[in-house]
Amino acid sequence: MLKFAVIGTGFWANYQIPAWFEVGGVELVALYNRTRSRAEGFAQQFNVANVYDDVDELLDQHAAELDFVDIITDVDTHSFFTAKAVARGLDVICQKPMSSGLEAARQMVEVGHRAGVRLFIHENFRWQAPIRKLKEIIDSGVIGRPFKARVSFCSAFPVFDNQPFLAELDQFILTDIGSHILDVCRFLFGEAESLYCQTSRVNPRIKGEDVANVLLRMQSGLTCYAEMSYASILEREAFPQTLALVEGENGSIQLTHDFQLRITTRTGTVTTEGRPTLYSWLDPAYAVVHASIVDCNRNLLAGLQGTGQTETTADDNFETIRLVYAAYDSATRNKVIYLNR
Ligand code: 89V
């Protein structure tokens, strides 16, 4: 049984904590939140004995018994809390996006390395059931060598209602959704060689960009169009689904609404599904996203226990963060960015 503390009991803790209990093998020892009453509510709900509104006090009292901390705060505090936990020699799981800024992310990774602790990023989109199924079908070889893809997260969902701080970010959709979607692109197609990006802000009530179109050339030669938008009023609202079309030399795979995967080859089309598990605690409006937290946590736990490899180590996720900031760089300079130069 690994003992852990949760730092931050906001919106995502409502799902991340039950997802831990779904996985099992962990004991939640303490909770921190800057507004103590919120942490107390969680403590009652999940039967946690220790509540703090001072993170140093939590670490002073519990660092010796803890195996890891799970940081579930907004992005601007990730480096701060990571440094605190790492200084006590604790392994850390930190919510995506890793940090606000490429340099801050680089420093977080280095701080972890220097302290000899393990730093993992809670990147859950690649753990969604339909995305795992899509990867499985690509890897089966049924469509042959993939040469072209589109990965889309386009919606008009009022995301700011549940996560108001997102409206305050100077850099919004590429950090919040791009960190997911570009990670999905890496998961499906490997590393990128270059990218070009254009962004815009449609919603006048938010600070950052709410539309980003990224064209990636992957090292495999595949070209991938990653499109994301929170300004898309479409016939069928897709939130929170990621849709995709992958074309290969022998066919295509389309990941559509309702978790359908349509595989077309010269002999016709067959349909399969990648449905999420509908846990009792998830919010149905976020079903596929919340369900993926369980598989993500399971993979993180395997890394912490040393029984398996965690996919989303900070080192690995840094490559996703590089793409996020390369995309901003590209949009600002209107230039193709070559990743390995
Ligand atoms: O996972 C996330 O980053 C969330 C949501 C799925 C709502 O966009 O912000």
Side-chain angles (χ1 to χ4, degrees), residues 155-168:
S155 154
F157 184 80
V159 68
F160 310 107
D161 292 356
N162 286 327
Q163 296 167 270
F165 82 97
L166 294 176
E168 301 303 320

Side-chain angles (χ1 to χ4, degrees), residues 12 96 125 153 159 163 166 176-177 180 230 239 286 289:
W12 285 100
K96 56 62 65 175
F125 266 40
F153 188 97
V159 68
Q163 296 167 270
L166 294 176
D176 190 59
I177 294 301
H180 285 315
Y230 267 121
F239 186 89
Y286 291 74
V289 170

Side-chain angles (χ1 to χ4, degrees), residues 117-174:
V117 304
R118 285 170 297 186
L119 175 54
F120 299 125
I121 302 303
H122 194 280
E123 175 44 72
N124 57 314
F125 266 40
R126 62 162 67 200
W127 287 101
Q128 291 177 13
I131 301 290
R132 298 312 276 197
K133 190 78 188 171
L134 175 59
K135 171 78 167 150
E136 195 185 301
I137 301 169
I138 295 169
D139 289 351
S140 76
V142 65
I143 63 160
R145 187 184 68 83
F147 60 87
K148 174 176 173 299
R150 186 177 72 228
V151 180
S152 308
F153 188 97
C154 295
S155 154
F157 184 80
V159 68
F160 310 107
D161 292 356
N162 286 327
Q163 296 167 270
F165 82 97
L166 294 176
E168 301 303 320
L169 294 175
D170 290 326
Q171 296 182 313
F172 165 49
I173 205 164
L174 278 167

Side-chain angles (χ1 to χ4, degrees), residues 36 51-62 88:
R36 192 187 169 90
V51 171
Y52 298 88
D53 56 13
D54 178 334
V55 77
D56 291 313
E57 206 183 319
L58 183 156
L59 293 170
D60 286 344
Q61 296 296 321
H62 299 282
R88 310 287 180 129

Side-chain angles (χ1 to χ4, degrees), residues 41-336:
F42 275 79
Q44 261 191 348
Q45 191 184 346
F46 297 108
N47 205 15
V48 184
N50 306 293
V51 171
Y52 298 88
D53 56 13
D54 178 334
V55 77
D56 291 313
E57 206 183 319
L58 183 156
L59 293 170
D60 286 344
Q61 296 296 321
H62 299 282
E65 63 171 325
L66 291 176
D67 292 293
F68 70 97
V69 298
D70 191 1
I71 299 171
I72 322 180
T73 57
D74 297 348
V75 58
D76 51 349
T77 58
H78 289 174
S79 298
F80 174 79
F81 289 123
T82 298
K84 294 251 175 218
V86 160
R88 310 287 180 129
L90 293 171
D91 289 339
V92 173
I93 297 172
C94 180
Q95 198 57 227
K96 56 62 65 175
M98 192 188 312
S99 194
S100 24
L102 186 63
E103 268 326 297
R106 199 190 305 277
Q107 275 171 28
M108 257 173 82
V109 173
E110 274 169 20
V111 162
H113 281 311
R114 272 204 302 275
V117 304
R118 285 170 297 186
L119 175 54
F120 299 125
I121 302 303
H122 194 280
E123 175 44 72
N124 57 314
F125 266 40
R126 62 162 67 200
W127 287 101
Q128 291 177 13
I131 301 290
R132 298 312 276 197
K133 190 78 188 171
L134 175 59
K135 171 78 167 150
E136 195 185 301
I137 301 169
I138 295 169
D139 289 351
S140 76
V142 65
I143 63 160
R145 187 184 68 83
F147 60 87
K148 174 176 173 299
R150 186 177 72 228
V151 180
S152 308
F153 188 97
C154 295
S155 154
F157 184 80
V159 68
F160 310 107
D161 292 356
N162 286 327
Q163 296 167 270
F165 82 97
L166 294 176
E168 301 303 320
L169 294 175
D170 290 326
Q171 296 182 313
F172 165 49
I173 205 164
L174 278 167
T175 56
D176 190 59
I177 294 301
S179 56
H180 285 315
I181 295 302
L182 295 171
D183 190 68
V184 166
C185 294
R186 290 184 55 236
F187 170 64
L188 294 175
F189 310 121
E191 300 303 335
E193 189 180 280
S194 65
L195 65 75
Y196 177 69
C197 174
Q198 290 282 296
T199 62
S200 48
R201 179 168 62 99
V202 177
N203 181 345
R205 289 175 298 280
I206 68 169
K207 274 197 185 160
E209 83 291 351
D210 51 2
V211 178
N213 294 318
V214 187
L215 186 62
L216 300 135
R217 184 171 174 88
M218 312 310 278
Q219 289 173 5
S220 66
L222 174 141
T223 50
C224 177
Y225 172 47
E227 53 168 350
M228 49 215 102
S229 160
Y230 267 121
S232 298
I233 302 160
L234 302 171
E235 185 183 4
R236 204 157 162 203
E237 174 56 60
F239 186 89
Q241 275 196 263
T242 301
L243 307 180
L245 173 66
V246 183
E247 295 181 50
E249 286 167 342
N250 300 326
S252 62
I253 314 161
Q254 193 163 10
L255 169 54
T256 67
H257 299 87
D258 304 325
F259 320 111
Q260 304 261 313
L261 291 122
R262 299 172 65 74
I263 308 162
T264 301
T265 60
R266 287 203 166 82
T267 57
T269 299
V270 291
T271 303
T272 178
E273 287 184 343
R275 290 199 166 273
T277 305
L278 296 179
Y279 299 104
S280 58
W281 44 263
L282 57 69
D283 177 345
Y286 291 74
V288 71
V289 170
H290 288 168
S292 70
I293 299 173
V294 175
D295 295 307
C296 181
N297 285 4
R298 190 175 287 118
N299 181 249
L300 292 162
L301 186 62
L304 287 163
Q305 288 171 327
T307 55
Q309 290 274 93
T310 295
E311 290 187 15
T312 57
T313 60
D315 283 316
D316 180 87
N317 194 259
F318 185 73
E319 295 306 314
T320 296
I321 293 297
R322 273 183 77 204
L323 297 185
V324 168
Y325 289 100
Y328 281 119
D329 193 18
S330 169
T332 307
R333 297 199 284 140
N334 194 22
K335 283 228 152 61
V336 175

